[in-house]
Amino acid sequence: MAQRKNNKSHSRKEVKTPPVESKNGKKTEGGGAGGGAGGGPKYSVFTWVVVLGLLGVWSSMAVVYFDIVDYDSVIGKLMAYDTDGDGDFDVEDAKVLLGLKEAEPGAVGASPETTGASERIVEPTNQQAAQQQGEEPKEATSGDPAAEETPSASGSHDVESEIQAAVPLPSIEDDFIPDDPREDVAHPYEDEVDTIDTTGVLVEEPPSQESIVDSGRYVTSSEVTQESEPAVTAEEPSESPAEPPPEPEQQPEPVLEPEPVLAAEPEPAPEPEQQPQPEPEPVLEPESQPQTETRPETGSVPEAEGSTEKLKEKAKKKKPKLFNKFDKTIKAEIDAAEKLRKKGKVDEALRAFESLVQQYPQSPRARYGKAQAEDDVAEKLRSNDMLQRAINTYREAAELPDATSDLLMAALKRRAERQQFLGRMRGSLVTLERLVQIFPEDISLKNDLGVAHLLLGDNKGAKKVYEQVLAAAPNNGFAKVHYGFILKSENKIAESIPYLKEGLESGEPGTDDGRFYFHLGDALQRVGDNSAYHWYELGHQRGHFASVWQRSLYNVEGLKAQPWWTPKETGYTDLVKMLERNWKTIRDEALAVMDRNTGQFIPEEENLREKGEWGQYTLWQQGKKVGNSCQGVPKTCSLLEKHPEATGCKRGQIKFSVMHPGTHVWPHTGPTNCRLRMHLGLVIPKQGCRIRCTTETRQWEEGKVLIFDDSFEHEVWQDADSYRLIFIVDVWHPELTAYQRQTLSPI
């Protein structure tokens, strides 16, 4: 039995399946897919595809049957993205949302549901697009280019005899020529809004009483403004949340700005022997100046009283409300035009906004966009006529019914800034007065109004405004520094000190300016308080002064700086030799003028004297002859005309200076490091007359020339028994290039 089983088993193992011939002629041993001993049936790829397809069908049926997905909800959400109004969300709609295609005007506001959804979607999309182009939503700057650029009142006031307080204003294009500031712009002025940037785009909603802004918006330091490069003001995304502005520099709108002049303050910074001269009209410098001049920068009109960081952050998060109900129905079209403006396609943007205004004349937002586009084109073309168009359009936007309060303020504040830019100070003042009437509790607007009064030389009006501000907000630092400045201009030296000091210590926007450090230090020196040098040191640390001793505010960087110079160091040895060789001729002509008519020697009116009498007779000023002054001293003028380094020095004077016994000139500095000052002794008493520059004191000699840099602190004493007569000749700093001498603005 056992043997038989073994045989059966053995024979079964020996059995083989006959070879099967496949279609390709090859034979396989055994059936099955793999052909191996354990191979199973063979299935094709098609079979698996069919199986998977059936699984997908059954899965879909299960989803529908058990109501796993709410298709109605999904489709409803996609309809919100229907930008072309065809009832579905398709490729064309996606292109619009991605910024690859502009929305069709007819599709906007197709239905209440889609309109609301579109507004929710387009806004962040526009913001993202702007950020992809390198633009960031910025915090509002009421004033600045930006930078910007407010020319001072016309007529020339000596920068050394009139302070330019921290008046942040919009920036100025190189080729803008400010009109006569005495012109009034006779237009009705409108209503206002809330905190805005230099471009007029508002970024915060107004707090109930006082607007809070970031101190970073106010850069009024003397170290920033460059004559060689136009400063730039940025246009903000009109519908983007406020964010901190990028570092000044740069922003889309290039503009160089002249500083406003706060009149009525005899500046304690003029040089000792200088006749008061009118402030130069701002001359805009070309962009390619090799070296950089630093000046007290005027950015945007200071706009708010700082409070707490918490409130600032809260204000930053708020978005402006520039669209009324009607504007929202055409928001896509407005956004498309605004996008062109943000990309710098200002001509196309202007055409787009003009078309919108023609189609929808009742739209405040479209007209405001047109004003902004005209503003941009004016800077591109450097056209005052186009800028005047923008000023008019800002007014029109504010006058339209149903304009939002935010748009109203944005339009009128920008209007006031651009009026100041063109030198139309009175028109700007009227605009700001209107804003203050509408928003009487807005401290920032009152501060702006005070600045406008100062720009007109109306210290009395400005004083009244700042008294109102300090009555309502006793700790307002911006009001304090300006009120202190006004008191100092009234020669109330001791009273001005606490206001200037507390204002600077507040650190509020608009207070960190070299001119306030300068005047606080000067006031302290005049009352004999040596802490003046502490404030000068702080001003130096803040970048406003080149050093504690060299405190001029209109400087070209990189020039050699030292208090005393030798003729050889200046390179003007021929001029020095001519003066010393002809000193008696020069002296005799000066004495003849004094004897014939001493009235031609004008008393020093720069508030530089502690006591005594000091008169000046000017021949050249700002590179030009002064009237008929040379007729009295023809030989002297003939000698000088051969030396353009002196007669062509637009930042200096050539004049006689007579100082009588008992005169003391306060320590002070000149306005710029672009010149050197030569003193030729004509009539010098043997004892009692001396001049100090920094820590070194020297005396004049008849027929000899002293040379010093009057941007360093200097002081003069006349304790002799008779008058002292010298001849002052300013020359260009020897390291200035010919191009710089030609393009630097007069002082």
Side-chain angles (χ1 to χ4, degrees):
M1 293 290 293
Q3 183 65 34
R4 190 174 301 143
K5 285 182 180 180
N6 291 339
N7 291 337
K8 275 187 179 180
S9 173
H10 180 72
S11 63
R12 189 173 297 149
K13 291 179 182 177
E14 295 278 326
V15 174
K16 293 184 179 179
T17 304
V20 179
E21 185 172 340
S22 64
K23 290 182 180 181
N24 58 8
K26 293 183 179 181
K27 296 181 180 181
T28 58
E29 295 264 338
K42 180 178 181 180
Y43 299 101
S44 68
V45 174
F46 174 77
T47 302
W48 289 109
V49 171
V50 171
V51 171
L52 292 174
L54 290 174
L55 287 175
V57 171
W58 284 108
S59 299
S60 300
M61 293 177 64
V63 167
V64 174
Y65 182 81
F66 292 103
D67 199 24
I68 296 174
V69 177
D70 184 359
Y71 285 98
D72 291 337
S73 173
V74 172
I75 294 173
K77 292 180 179 179
L78 289 175
M79 289 295 290
Y81 293 82
D82 178 21
T83 59
D84 56 8
D86 60 0
D88 63 358
F89 176 78
D90 52 19
V91 173
E92 298 301 316
D93 300 321
K95 289 181 178 180
V96 172
L97 293 175
L98 292 174
L100 302 176
K101 177 182 177 182
E102 295 181 0
E104 299 178 8
V108 181
S111 68
E113 296 84 355
T114 57
T115 300
S118 298
E119 291 170 5
R120 290 191 297 271
I121 296 164
V122 171
E123 182 172 341
T125 304
N126 289 343
Q127 181 177 350
Q128 293 169 4
Q131 292 173 348
Q132 290 173 358
Q133 298 165 11
E135 300 173 1
E136 297 182 12
K138 306 171 186 67
E139 180 180 341
T141 341
S142 134
D144 318 31
E148 95 100 57
E149 52 300 328
T150 306
S152 63
S154 78
S156 271
H157 296 56
D158 188 353
V159 174
E160 302 179 40
S161 63
E162 297 200 359
I163 174 79
Q164 306 205 13
V167 184
L169 298 173
S171 35
I172 263 190
E173 291 283 3
D174 286 353
D175 292 341
F176 273 113
I177 301 175
D179 295 340
D180 188 343
R182 292 167 292 188
E183 296 180 13
D184 292 320
V185 180
H187 289 301
Y189 301 95
E190 313 71 5
D191 318 306
E192 96 166 337
V193 282
D194 158 65
T195 320
I196 55 178
D197 77 343
T198 32
T199 68
V201 178
L202 197 121
V203 289
E204 341 175 289
E205 290 186 342
S208 59
Q209 298 246 349
E210 300 172 352
S211 302
I212 309 303
V213 296
D214 193 323
S215 61
R217 295 163 53 188
Y218 301 97
V219 184
T220 52
S221 151
S222 62
E223 63 180 337
V224 180
T225 305
Q226 302 180 353
E227 285 194 351
S228 60
E229 304 176 8
V232 179
T233 41
E235 291 289 349
E236 301 185 13
S238 60
E239 295 297 313
S240 302
E243 296 180 9
E247 188 66 26
E249 312 291 18
Q250 310 272 8
Q251 307 168 356
E253 304 177 15
V255 270
L256 199 75
E257 66 182 54
E259 298 74 39
V261 173
L262 293 184
E265 154 87 18
E267 179 175 16
E271 58 271 32
E273 315 286 331
Q274 182 165 357
Q275 171 175 337
Q277 67 186 42
E279 164 79 5
E281 283 213 334
V283 174
L284 302 170
E285 312 300 341
E287 302 179 5
S288 58
Q289 181 173 320
Q291 286 177 292
T292 298
E293 178 186 11
T294 59
R295 313 183 282 178
E297 177 180 346
T298 55
S300 312
V301 176
E303 133 181 332
E305 174 188 26
S307 164
T308 64
E309 291 298 325
K310 184 176 180 180
L311 289 177
K312 289 181 183 178
E313 292 178 4
K314 181 179 179 181
K316 288 181 185 179
K317 295 179 182 178
K318 296 183 179 180
K319 293 188 293 184
K321 297 179 180 178
L322 302 180
F323 286 75
N324 64 15
K325 290 183 180 180
F326 174 77
D327 289 332
K328 290 179 181 178
T329 66
I330 58 171
K331 185 176 185 297
E333 296 171 79
I334 292 174
D335 286 346
E338 183 68 11
K339 186 175 181 181
L340 291 172
R341 194 176 73 85
K342 299 299 182 187
K343 287 183 174 181
K345 300 178 180 179
V346 293
D347 295 310
E348 295 178 42
L350 179 55
R351 288 192 292 270
F353 276 116
E354 285 175 338
S355 176
L356 286 173
V357 169
Q358 187 174 5
Q359 288 180 278
Y360 312 107
Q362 75 276 31
S363 167
R365 181 62 184 88
R367 201 169 295 265
Y368 176 64
K370 177 175 177 280
Q372 289 183 301
E374 289 171 338
D375 206 336
D376 294 342
V377 172
E379 295 196 356
K380 175 184 176 182
L381 301 179
R382 298 174 181 178
S383 167
N384 284 354
D385 291 338
M386 178 60 74
L387 184 55
Q388 183 58 54
R389 282 179 54 184
I391 289 172
N392 294 337
T393 307
Y394 282 125
R395 184 196 72 244
E396 294 170 2
E399 288 176 342
L400 287 174
D402 301 324
T404 66
S405 61
D406 286 359
L407 185 143
L408 188 61
M409 179 178 279
L412 291 181
K413 291 197 76 171
R414 184 60 174 172
R415 173 182 170 84
E417 293 166 9
R418 304 314 270 163
Q419 286 174 312
Q420 290 175 342
F421 169 74
L422 284 181
R424 295 177 182 168
M425 306 304 176
R426 294 190 185 278
S428 175
L429 180 68
V430 173
T431 304
L432 290 168
E433 285 176 339
R434 176 61 177 157
L435 286 171
V436 170
Q437 290 174 358
I438 299 170
F439 299 91
E441 295 182 351
D442 192 319
I443 297 298
S444 70
L445 290 176
K446 290 184 178 179
N447 279 337
D448 293 349
L449 181 60
V451 168
H453 279 286
L454 289 172
L455 288 171
L456 281 170
D458 181 14
N459 283 21
K460 184 177 180 180
K463 185 177 182 181
K464 182 178 179 180
V465 170
Y466 288 123
E467 285 174 345
Q468 294 174 356
V469 172
L470 292 173
N475 296 321
N476 187 284
F478 183 89
K480 282 187 173 183
V481 290
H482 285 81
Y483 190 68
F485 157 76
I486 295 170
L487 291 175
K488 186 169 181 290
S489 73
E490 296 174 346
N491 213 30
K492 298 178 180 178
I493 305 300
E495 293 179 44
S496 71
I497 291 173
Y499 288 99
L500 288 167
K501 183 182 295 185
E502 291 171 14
L504 284 172
E505 288 174 341
S506 73
E508 291 183 13
T511 62
D512 183 24
D513 186 278
R515 289 161 289 196
F516 294 132
Y517 287 94
F518 177 91
H519 284 288
L520 174 56
D522 181 74
L524 290 168
Q525 281 184 305
R526 296 192 182 200
V527 298
D529 189 338
N530 287 332
S531 67
Y533 291 96
H534 164 72
W535 289 99
Y536 291 148
E537 176 62 30
L538 287 179
H540 168 55
Q541 292 175 2
R542 303 288 294 185
H544 303 311
F545 306 138
S547 71
V548 173
W549 294 111
Q550 191 178 25
R551 302 190 297 273
S552 53
L553 298 177
Y554 298 81
N555 303 321
V556 168
E557 295 179 358
L559 299 181
K560 181 178 180 180
Q562 64 186 41
W564 294 99
W565 290 66
T566 65
K568 184 177 181 179
E569 287 174 325
T570 67
Y572 301 133
T573 54
D574 290 343
L575 174 60
V576 173
K577 289 178 181 178
M578 182 276 291
L579 291 172
E580 292 183 345
R581 189 163 47 240
N582 296 279
W583 76 274
K584 289 184 179 179
T585 299
I586 297 170
R587 178 199 63 187
D588 292 344
E589 286 195 329
L591 291 174
V593 173
M594 288 179 61
D595 293 340
R596 186 166 61 246
N597 185 1
T598 55
Q600 294 188 33
F601 275 75
I602 300 173
E604 181 273 329
E605 297 175 348
E606 302 162 18
N607 194 25
L608 294 177
R609 289 169 293 161
E610 177 188 10
K611 57 183 180 179
E613 297 180 30
W614 177 14
Q616 301 173 1
Y617 179 65
T618 304
L619 306 180
W620 270 270
Q621 181 169 281
Q622 297 180 352
K624 297 179 180 179
K625 284 186 178 180
V626 176
N628 298 323
S629 58
C630 278
Q631 291 181 0
V633 288
K635 294 179 181 178
T636 300
C637 289
S638 177
L639 290 169
L640 287 167
E641 285 172 348
K642 301 174 183 177
H643 297 275
E645 65 270 24
T647 58
C649 182
K650 295 184 294 182
R651 296 197 162 188
Q653 300 83 37
I654 299 175
K655 58 193 177 184
F656 295 101
S657 171
V658 60
M659 189 174 291
H660 295 278
T663 301
H664 173 232
V665 177
W666 295 109
H668 62 283
T669 61
T672 179
N673 72 339
C674 294
R675 73 187 185 201
L676 300 179
R677 174 150 287 188
M678 297 184 179
H679 281 189
L680 172 65
L682 299 178
V683 178
I684 308 298
K686 292 184 178 180
Q687 293 182 346
C689 296
R690 62 192 188 278
I691 177 172
R692 173 185 67 83
C693 187
T694 63
T695 58
E696 184 177 351
T697 302
R698 297 187 182 183
Q699 296 182 346
W700 296 273
E701 297 181 37
E702 292 183 356
K704 298 297 181 182
V705 171
L706 285 178
I707 307 174
F708 66 101
D709 184 339
D710 75 325
S711 64
F712 287 85
E713 178 182 293
H714 51 286
E715 183 177 10
V716 176
W717 296 266
Q718 215 289 43
D719 297 326
D721 296 330
S722 60
Y723 67 85
R724 181 226 63 181
L725 178 65
I726 63 173
F727 188 44
I728 298 175
V729 179
D730 289 336
V731 294
W732 283 117
H733 192 291
E735 292 183 356
L736 288 174
T737 65
Y739 176 77
Q740 289 172 312
R741 299 180 189 196
Q742 178 183 359
T743 57
L744 285 171
S745 58
I747 292 180

